[in-house]
Amino acid sequence: MKIMELEGQKELKGTIRISGAKNATVALIPAAILTDEEATICNVPEITDTDALCNILKELKVDIKRASESIIINPENMENIEIAESFSKKLRASYYFMGALLGKYKKAVMYFPGGCSIGARPIDLHLKGFEALGAKVTNEKNKYTVEADELRGANIYLDFASVGATINIMLAAVKAKGTTIIDNAAKEPEIVNVATFLNNMGAKITGAGTPTIKIEGVDHLGKCFHEVIPDRIEAGSYIIMGALCGNNLKIDNIIPEHIESLLSKLEEVGVKLDVGQDYVIVSKPEKYKPTTITTAVYPGFPTDLQQPFTILLTQAEGKSKVIETIWENRFMHIPYLNNLGADITVKNQTATIMGATPLKGTEVVATDLRAGAAMVAAGLLASGKTKITNVEHILRGYEQIVEKLTEVGAKITIKEI
Ligand code: EPZ
């Protein structure tokens, strides 16, 4: 088990370079098996979720070469075998192999995926999409078999603009016969990145980034080279840390349009930002104003930044609220924040934060990935030492977090216990 230790109240100064987006990478790696030749993906973050997906590729006998920040994936000799539960439960995104294997071989056998326990996380919309394309789905003790004699384009309306279902249906539909339309599709930048990747291989996808995506099936997908977009959630997490402890902290290699909702909320609470073409410079203000944030699908305020943003609200004078509308269990960090000195109550899907309260270091738990980022933000701000356990959650999504924060002045270490 790994433990992280932080000594708080250090000024953060200098530059943090943002890595490739986790939530794009975890879809691009399974999507790469759809090529009949070879796919090169660069700007791939070195995080444990990337490793978990590469392990699945190895199980499927896919040839992979990893160099610094890039992966070359060649599925020429791959075998479509059942993905064991020990692999699928390592992360949520293992479910993208369902769409990709179905699209390539018309058959996928795997178990229910793992991932952060932030809600029930059903996959009914994914499965309904596969069925609409002509697949038969059977489920026996968590094992899913999805197969079709032929995949045919269809009109699919998603009851919720699910990121995972939108991507998975795209993966299954790229080689289907005819045209597929996904209505009420998710619009997140990661969807656009995956559609661009598939189009680079020869797919015919239009409308990604809008609520209606059109996919005209093709027979062959070829060689391609692709770059992962910068991670907007990693960027947002460090910008929030800069708003807490920064003195002209530069968050570099980002696409500011991808985090507009965060930037405007930061300005609303009194944080001054210098926003450039591919960077944001952020400093801690003298005081923060309270506000309400309501999480929503893109371009709304991202649920994945709600937890780190809450730390900022503990420093605002007066009453703030966080309303979580995407996940039913994303307030697990709150008891730990209260242990650090915050005054937060949770009722149903709303957290009410009374501020400002000083935070004092103690032992806390990273209950999930972004709760972990929130604990790091809290530890940077708090007086004294903060110890974070279950750090494995954080390492699933933040490349070189200790190195990046140390470089800008934080006192932070990870050790194995
Ligand atoms: C993606 O999860 C991200 N994960 C999540 O990031 C992110 O929080 C989420 O999108 C929302 O932005 C990855 O990309 C790997 P959804 P995903 O399908 O695709 C319901 C992080 O911290 N739903 O858009 O699983 C679901 O229960 C992670 O990086 C169904 O009901 O999210 C939820 O309430 C955590 N049935 C809502 O839709 C379905 O079949 C949104 O889920 C699918 C989803």
Side-chain angles (χ1 to χ4, degrees):
M1 191 171 91
K2 288 189 168 70
I3 182 161
M4 189 181 268
E5 284 187 0
L6 288 116
E7 216 182 290
Q9 300 193 327
K10 306 287 176 223
E11 190 176 82
L12 302 182
K13 216 173 166 178
T15 301
I16 294 180
R17 191 183 153 79
I18 295 307
S19 305
K22 169 183 94 82
N23 287 344
T25 303
V26 297
L28 293 167
I29 292 175
I33 64 158
L34 282 160
T35 179
D36 300 316
E37 298 173 28
E38 184 178 272
T40 303
I41 311 173
C42 65
N43 200 29
V44 175
E46 265 199 46
I47 48 178
T48 53
D49 271 11
T50 306
D51 300 336
L53 290 169
C54 286
N55 288 339
I56 297 179
L57 289 180
K58 283 182 200 151
E59 280 296 296
L60 299 173
K61 308 274 184 295
V62 176
D63 186 37
I64 45 174
K65 288 192 196 83
R66 276 180 88 169
S68 72
E69 291 194 0
S70 66
I71 305 188
I72 302 170
I73 297 172
N74 186 331
E76 222 177 342
N77 300 317
M78 82 175 276
E79 290 170 19
N80 184 19
I81 55 166
E82 172 182 319
I83 298 174
E85 191 164 20
S86 56
F87 287 97
S88 66
K89 74 175 184 204
K90 282 266 186 306
L91 77 170
R92 191 75 195 159
S94 59
Y95 60 23
Y96 289 132
F97 279 103
M98 257 189 209
L101 290 170
L102 181 65
K104 190 175 178 96
Y105 296 105
K106 317 231 171 357
K107 181 170 182 181
V109 186
M110 65 170 284
Y111 287 78
F112 196 78
C116 292
S117 308
I118 51 181
R121 309 190 79 176
I123 56 167
D124 55 312
L125 299 174
H126 305 231
L127 302 177
K128 272 195 217 164
F130 299 150
E131 283 171 338
L133 295 171
K136 183 168 171 268
V137 178
T138 46
N139 170 17
E140 218 182 302
K141 293 193 189 139
N142 257 356
K143 178 165 134 181
Y144 288 83
T145 304
V146 188
E147 61 187 320
D149 294 332
E150 182 185 65
L151 293 169
R152 292 174 311 275
N155 286 358
I156 298 166
Y157 171 81
L158 294 179
D159 295 327
F160 184 89
S162 153
V163 173
T166 302
I167 293 179
N168 237 340
I169 295 167
M170 279 199 311
L171 299 180
V174 273
K175 293 185 100 178
K177 293 251 172 314
T179 303
T180 298
I181 307 273
I182 310 176
D183 259 321
N184 196 30
K187 302 186 289 293
E188 272 71 1
E190 292 75 19
I191 311 262
V192 181
N193 201 223
V194 175
T196 309
F197 178 55
L198 294 168
N199 283 344
N200 286 347
M201 284 184 198
K204 289 191 178 157
I205 304 174
T206 51
T210 77
T212 305
I213 298 179
K214 184 174 168 191
I215 305 143
E216 284 177 64
V218 295
D219 290 333
H220 167 76
L221 292 172
K223 192 168 177 153
C224 81
F225 180 87
H226 183 75
E227 186 168 344
V228 183
I229 50 169
D231 195 314
R232 64 194 167 98
I233 306 301
E234 187 200 14
S237 306
Y238 287 125
I239 292 171
I240 292 168
M241 293 176 203
L244 289 166
C245 306
N247 176 1
N248 286 316
L249 180 70
K250 185 175 184 184
I251 312 301
D252 204 8
N253 187 39
I254 67 169
I255 301 176
E257 298 82 63
H258 289 174
I259 44 170
E260 256 169 23
S261 56
L262 169 71
L263 299 181
S264 71
K265 273 292 166 190
L266 284 169
E267 280 174 343
E268 189 187 317
V269 300
V271 178
K272 294 257 179 320
L273 301 166
D274 169 3
V275 183
Q277 214 185 348
D278 63 352
Y279 66 85
V280 167
I281 298 174
V282 56
S283 294
K284 168 187 162 65
E286 257 164 47
K287 58 181 192 177
Y288 307 87
K289 287 179 250 169
T291 189
T292 294
I293 58 165
T294 305
T295 64
V297 295
Y298 188 82
F301 193 95
T303 169
D304 297 344
L305 287 174
Q306 169 264 101
Q307 293 154 302
F309 198 86
T310 303
I311 316 304
L312 206 73
L313 298 178
T314 67
Q315 302 309 300
E317 307 274 340
K319 191 202 270 184
S320 294
K321 283 189 179 191
V322 174
I323 303 165
E324 171 59 53
T325 72
I326 308 288
W327 300 113
E328 56 284 19
N329 191 22
R330 225 175 190 183
F331 286 130
M332 283 186 298
H333 58 305
I334 299 296
Y336 296 104
L337 287 185
N338 285 340
N339 289 349
L340 286 161
D343 177 1
I344 309 177
T345 47
V346 176
K347 197 166 173 214
N348 301 324
Q349 289 305 96
T350 302
T352 304
I353 303 120
M354 298 303 299
T357 49
L359 302 187
K360 189 165 176 295
T362 180
E363 195 164 323
V364 294
V365 180
T367 50
D368 58 77
L369 169 60
R370 309 300 172 189
M375 290 304 137
V376 173
L380 291 171
L381 175 73
S383 59
K385 271 196 182 156
T386 300
K387 274 190 191 176
I388 308 175
T389 57
N390 277 19
V391 175
E392 282 75 9
H393 279 302
I394 303 175
L395 303 180
R396 286 190 31 225
Y398 290 86
E399 183 179 46
Q400 297 199 318
I401 185 167
V402 169
E403 293 80 354
K404 286 186 185 188
L405 284 171
T406 302
E407 180 76 23
V408 294
K411 282 258 175 290
I412 174 171
T413 52
I414 286 191
K415 62 181 179 203
E416 195 80 43
I417 55 164

